[in-house]
Amino acid sequence: MLKRLNAACASDKQNIYPLPLIYTPVRSVLAIWHQLTKAEIPELAKCSVLMRERSRVEETIHAMQRAGAGSLQVISDFDMTLTRFAHNGKRVPTTHNILDNQLLIDEDCTKKMRDLLNTYYPIEIDASRTTEEKLPLMVEWWTKVHELLIQQRIRKDMLAQAVRESSAMLRDGYKVFFDRLTEQQVPLLIFSAGVGDVLEEVIRQNHVFLPNVHIISNYMDFDQTGVLKAFKGQLIHTFNKREGALSRAAGLRELHGRPNVLLLGDSLGDLTMADGVSEQQNILTIGYLNDQVDERKESYINSFDIVLVKDETMDIPNAILRYITSSRDRK
C-alpha cells in the first residue's frame, strides 16, 4: 500500500500534503496515513485534493453530518462543474457551445461566437484582474452572444437533437451524486450562467432531471411558433450570481430550514451562490480547478475549502455526501 501511495503522490508537486515515504519510519508513515483518513473520507487523501485548512474542513463535515440530511442543501454551478472540462484531450462543450450546431446557427454565427470566446474567456480566468474589472466585460460578452443567438431564430424543437449530437458529458459519478441527493431528499440548486433550456435537456437526456433539482439560469423566450425571440429576465453571468442568489434562490420554499450548504463551482464568482441562504450555519465549498493551474492555484486555495485539480469526477462530492448523510455518531 505504501508503495502505491508514494508513486501516486510523489510526482504531484502541487499536493500540499506530500507523503515523505522514502526516509520516514513505517510507524510515522502509518501515523500520517491515519491523519489523512481520520475523517473516514479516504478520498480526501487523493493527490488532486488541495486544502488550506484541513482541520476546518473536517470540523465542518462533522457538524453537517451531525445535523443530518434534513439540514442540507447543495448549490452547484453547471458548466465545467457538473459537466466535464475535457475528455480524451478535447474540451467538452458548455451549454452555449452546444448551440454551435448547424441545426441551430450558421457558420458566420459560429465564427463570431468563437471569436467572442477567445476574447473574453481569458479575461474571465485572468488571475491578475479584479472582479470589478471583469464585471462589465462579462456583461458585454453574454449580451453579444445572446444577441447573436436571437438573430439566428433558433427553433425550440431542435434543442433536444442538438444536445444528442453534442459531446456534452457530465462528470464521472454524476448518477451516484444525483441519486444520493434524491434518496436523501436533499434539494439541489443548479445556478448557471449558461443557457437553462440546454442545461435542462442535458440532465434530462442523462436521466437525472429529478424532482429535487431546481435550476436558475438564462432561459430562452420563444414566440408562439417556437422561435427564439429574446432571453428572459435578468442576465446571469459568472460574476453576478450573488444578485441572482439573493433575488431568486431565496424564494424557493424547498431550501428553507436548510442552513448547511455544500457548494460546488469552478470559478471564484461561484462562491457567492450561497448568499441567498437564510440563517447559514455551515458552508463547505469545493472548487474545480480545471486549467491554468499554476496561475490560479493560490487564489483557489485561499478561496475554496477544497480545491480539486484537473479532476473530472464527482468522487470527492460523492464521498462527502455519503458521509454527511450517514447516521453514524449522530446525536
Side-chain angles (χ1 to χ4, degrees):
M1 180 186 76
L2 298 180
K3 287 183 179 179
R4 288 198 299 271
L5 286 173
N6 189 43
C9 293
S11 63
D12 189 350
K13 297 180 181 178
Q14 297 167 7
N15 184 17
I16 61 174
Y17 292 104
L19 301 182
L21 302 183
I22 297 177
Y23 302 108
T24 308
V26 171
R27 184 174 297 177
S28 297
V29 170
L30 292 176
I32 293 170
W33 180 243
H34 174 71
Q35 174 68 19
L36 287 170
T37 59
K38 71 177 184 178
E40 299 181 70
I41 306 178
E43 289 85 352
L44 290 177
K46 288 176 62 176
C47 298
S48 59
V49 178
L50 307 180
M51 286 177 276
R52 182 180 71 257
E53 296 181 64
R54 183 184 178 88
S55 60
R56 182 190 175 283
V57 169
E58 291 183 347
E59 289 168 6
T60 302
I61 291 173
H62 290 151
M64 295 167 84
Q65 190 272 336
R66 288 192 297 270
S71 298
L72 179 66
Q73 60 176 287
V74 177
I75 301 176
S76 180
D77 173 52
F78 187 71
D79 289 320
M80 299 179 285
T81 297
L82 292 180
T83 63
R84 292 179 64 117
F85 177 76
H87 179 62
N88 291 336
K90 299 181 70 173
R91 287 288 301 271
V92 170
T94 65
T95 53
H96 278 106
N97 297 146
I98 289 171
L99 296 174
D100 182 5
N101 184 305
Q102 290 184 354
L103 290 168
L104 305 174
I105 65 176
D106 59 32
E107 290 184 12
D108 183 59
C109 183
T110 293
K111 180 181 182 304
K112 288 177 179 177
M113 286 180 61
R114 288 178 181 170
D115 288 344
L116 290 172
L117 176 67
N118 293 334
T119 299
Y120 290 99
Y121 180 65
I123 295 173
E124 178 187 331
I125 64 175
D126 187 349
S128 68
R129 293 181 185 240
T130 66
T131 298
E132 289 69 27
E133 289 178 283
K134 295 178 182 181
L135 274 171
L137 297 170
M138 294 302 102
V139 172
E140 193 174 281
W141 181 15
W142 261 258
T143 300
K144 288 179 178 178
V145 167
H146 287 181
E147 288 173 351
L148 284 171
L149 294 174
I150 292 167
Q151 291 170 11
Q152 294 296 298
R153 296 180 58 80
I154 290 173
R155 294 194 56 82
K156 184 177 183 179
D157 59 6
M158 302 302 290
L159 292 179
Q161 184 176 344
V163 170
R164 279 194 297 272
E165 292 181 359
S166 76
S167 55
M169 296 179 68
L170 297 175
R171 289 187 185 269
D172 292 353
Y174 74 89
K175 194 170 188 312
V176 173
F177 178 77
F178 280 87
D179 287 350
R180 182 81 179 186
L181 292 177
T182 302
E183 291 165 5
Q184 298 294 322
Q185 299 181 343
V186 174
L188 168 61
L189 175 61
I190 299 176
F191 213 134
S192 174
V195 181
D197 309 79
V198 179
L199 188 165
E200 285 191 9
E201 193 59 39
V202 171
I203 61 175
R204 185 179 291 112
Q205 291 187 19
N206 281 280
H207 310 292
V208 287
F209 198 0
L210 304 167
N212 63 316
V213 176
H214 308 279
I215 300 168
I216 295 177
S217 187
N218 297 302
Y219 276 89
M220 295 174 163
D221 190 8
F222 298 93
D223 65 19
Q224 293 180 343
T225 66
V227 172
L228 176 64
K229 64 177 182 179
F231 278 80
K232 300 176 182 177
Q234 176 191 356
L235 174 69
I236 298 175
H237 58 76
T238 307
F239 295 104
N240 74 340
K241 291 185 177 181
R242 181 178 187 276
E243 288 75 10
L246 292 173
S247 64
R248 304 191 200 184
L252 291 172
R253 263 194 245 170
E254 295 88 341
L255 306 183
H256 293 173
R258 293 179 176 271
N260 294 333
V261 180
L262 180 63
L263 183 149
L264 313 179
D266 74 301
S267 164
L268 297 182
D270 293 332
L271 289 164
T272 64
M273 294 189 298
D275 286 0
V277 177
S278 58
E279 300 179 353
Q280 299 176 7
Q281 288 185 5
N282 299 288
I283 296 182
L284 186 71
T285 60
I286 299 176
Y288 281 94
L289 181 50
N290 296 308
D291 64 344
Q292 293 197 355
V293 172
D294 291 339
E295 297 89 341
R296 300 197 288 165
K297 182 173 67 172
E298 183 177 358
S299 63
Y300 272 57
I301 292 173
N302 289 332
S303 302
F304 287 97
D305 297 314
I306 299 173
V307 177
L308 306 180
V309 179
K310 292 185 176 294
D311 184 342
E312 297 289 0
T313 75
M314 297 296 293
D315 290 352
I316 299 302
N318 282 338
I320 291 173
L321 272 177
R322 184 174 63 246
Y323 184 80
I324 290 175
T325 58
S326 68
S327 60
R328 71 190 79 177
D329 300 324
R330 186 172 294 152
K331 297 180 181 179

mmCIF file of all heavy atoms in Angstrom, residues 27 39 69 99 102 160 233 248 287 299 314 322:
data_model
loop_
_atom_site.group_PDB
_atom_site.id
_atom_site.type_symbol
_atom_site.label_atom_id
_atom_site.label_comp_id
_atom_site.label_asym_id
_atom_site.label_seq_id
_atom_site.Cartn_x
_atom_site.Cartn_y
_atom_site.Cartn_z
ATOM 1 N N ARG A 27 6.273 3.468 11.168
ATOM 2 C CA ARG A 27 5.317 3.907 12.187
ATOM 3 C C ARG A 27 4.846 5.327 11.909
ATOM 4 O O ARG A 27 3.664 5.652 12.032
ATOM 5 C CB ARG A 27 5.958 3.820 13.572
ATOM 6 C CG ARG A 27 4.995 4.162 14.702
ATOM 7 C CD ARG A 27 5.635 3.917 16.063
ATOM 8 N NE ARG A 27 5.956 2.493 16.223
ATOM 9 C CZ ARG A 27 6.568 2.013 17.300
ATOM 10 N NH1 ARG A 27 6.936 2.819 18.276
ATOM 11 N NH2 ARG A 27 6.818 0.732 17.390
ATOM 12 N N ALA A 39 -11.118 11.412 9.037
ATOM 13 C CA ALA A 39 -12.479 11.892 8.832
ATOM 14 C C ALA A 39 -13.343 10.829 8.174
ATOM 15 O O ALA A 39 -14.484 11.089 7.839
ATOM 16 C CB ALA A 39 -12.476 13.152 7.976
ATOM 17 N N ALA A 69 -29.187 14.987 6.880
ATOM 18 C CA ALA A 69 -29.591 15.362 5.524
ATOM 19 C C ALA A 69 -30.715 16.392 5.516
ATOM 20 O O ALA A 69 -30.840 17.176 4.581
ATOM 21 C CB ALA A 69 -30.016 14.117 4.753
ATOM 22 N N LEU A 99 -24.955 24.975 -28.574
ATOM 23 C CA LEU A 99 -25.761 25.673 -29.581
ATOM 24 C C LEU A 99 -24.996 25.881 -30.881
ATOM 25 O O LEU A 99 -25.579 26.271 -31.899
ATOM 26 C CB LEU A 99 -26.224 27.025 -29.030
ATOM 27 C CG LEU A 99 -27.166 26.949 -27.814
ATOM 28 C CD1 LEU A 99 -27.443 28.338 -27.274
ATOM 29 C CD2 LEU A 99 -28.471 26.245 -28.184
ATOM 30 N N GLN A 102 -25.073 23.177 -36.663
ATOM 31 C CA GLN A 102 -25.652 23.647 -37.923
ATOM 32 C C GLN A 102 -27.170 23.582 -37.929
ATOM 33 O O GLN A 102 -27.824 24.266 -38.726
ATOM 34 C CB GLN A 102 -25.085 22.829 -39.089
ATOM 35 C CG GLN A 102 -23.613 23.124 -39.361
ATOM 36 C CD GLN A 102 -23.087 22.373 -40.570
ATOM 37 O OE1 GLN A 102 -23.778 21.537 -41.151
ATOM 38 N NE2 GLN A 102 -21.864 22.682 -40.955
ATOM 39 N N ALA A 160 -33.295 19.505 -28.429
ATOM 40 C CA ALA A 160 -33.026 18.140 -27.958
ATOM 41 C C ALA A 160 -32.074 17.417 -28.907
ATOM 42 O O ALA A 160 -31.141 16.726 -28.476
ATOM 43 C CB ALA A 160 -34.331 17.357 -27.817
ATOM 44 N N GLY A 233 -35.787 37.672 -18.343
ATOM 45 C CA GLY A 233 -35.304 38.190 -17.071
ATOM 46 C C GLY A 233 -33.903 38.769 -17.084
ATOM 47 O O GLY A 233 -33.328 39.101 -18.127
ATOM 48 N N ARG A 248 -33.593 35.249 -6.357
ATOM 49 C CA ARG A 248 -34.352 34.106 -6.869
ATOM 50 C C ARG A 248 -34.305 32.889 -5.960
ATOM 51 O O ARG A 248 -35.329 32.301 -5.633
ATOM 52 C CB ARG A 248 -33.852 33.717 -8.258
ATOM 53 C CG ARG A 248 -33.882 34.869 -9.262
ATOM 54 C CD ARG A 248 -33.623 34.359 -10.661
ATOM 55 N NE ARG A 248 -33.180 35.421 -11.551
ATOM 56 C CZ ARG A 248 -32.956 35.267 -12.838
ATOM 57 N NH1 ARG A 248 -33.121 34.091 -13.386
ATOM 58 N NH2 ARG A 248 -32.552 36.277 -13.588
ATOM 59 N N GLY A 287 -14.036 23.686 -5.089
ATOM 60 C CA GLY A 287 -13.739 24.345 -6.346
ATOM 61 C C GLY A 287 -12.979 23.451 -7.302
ATOM 62 O O GLY A 287 -11.928 22.900 -6.934
ATOM 63 N N SER A 299 -4.980 31.468 -5.571
ATOM 64 C CA SER A 299 -6.247 32.158 -5.319
ATOM 65 C C SER A 299 -7.367 31.167 -5.010
ATOM 66 O O SER A 299 -8.245 31.448 -4.176
ATOM 67 C CB SER A 299 -6.629 33.045 -6.511
ATOM 68 O OG SER A 299 -6.846 32.270 -7.681
ATOM 69 N N MET A 314 -16.841 13.106 -9.866
ATOM 70 C CA MET A 314 -17.622 13.566 -8.713
ATOM 71 C C MET A 314 -17.213 12.790 -7.465
ATOM 72 O O MET A 314 -17.965 12.737 -6.487
ATOM 73 C CB MET A 314 -19.119 13.362 -8.983
ATOM 74 C CG MET A 314 -19.682 14.162 -10.140
ATOM 75 S SD MET A 314 -19.602 15.945 -9.870
ATOM 76 C CE MET A 314 -20.762 16.155 -8.523
ATOM 77 N N ARG A 322 -21.840 11.068 1.018
ATOM 78 C CA ARG A 322 -22.051 9.763 1.644
ATOM 79 C C ARG A 322 -21.827 9.860 3.149
ATOM 80 O O ARG A 322 -22.599 9.307 3.946
ATOM 81 C CB ARG A 322 -21.109 8.733 1.021
ATOM 82 C CG ARG A 322 -21.320 7.303 1.528
ATOM 83 C CD ARG A 322 -20.465 6.318 0.755
ATOM 84 N NE ARG A 322 -19.036 6.568 0.923
ATOM 85 C CZ ARG A 322 -18.238 6.957 -0.053
ATOM 86 N NH1 ARG A 322 -18.714 7.157 -1.267
ATOM 87 N NH2 ARG A 322 -16.947 7.144 0.175
#
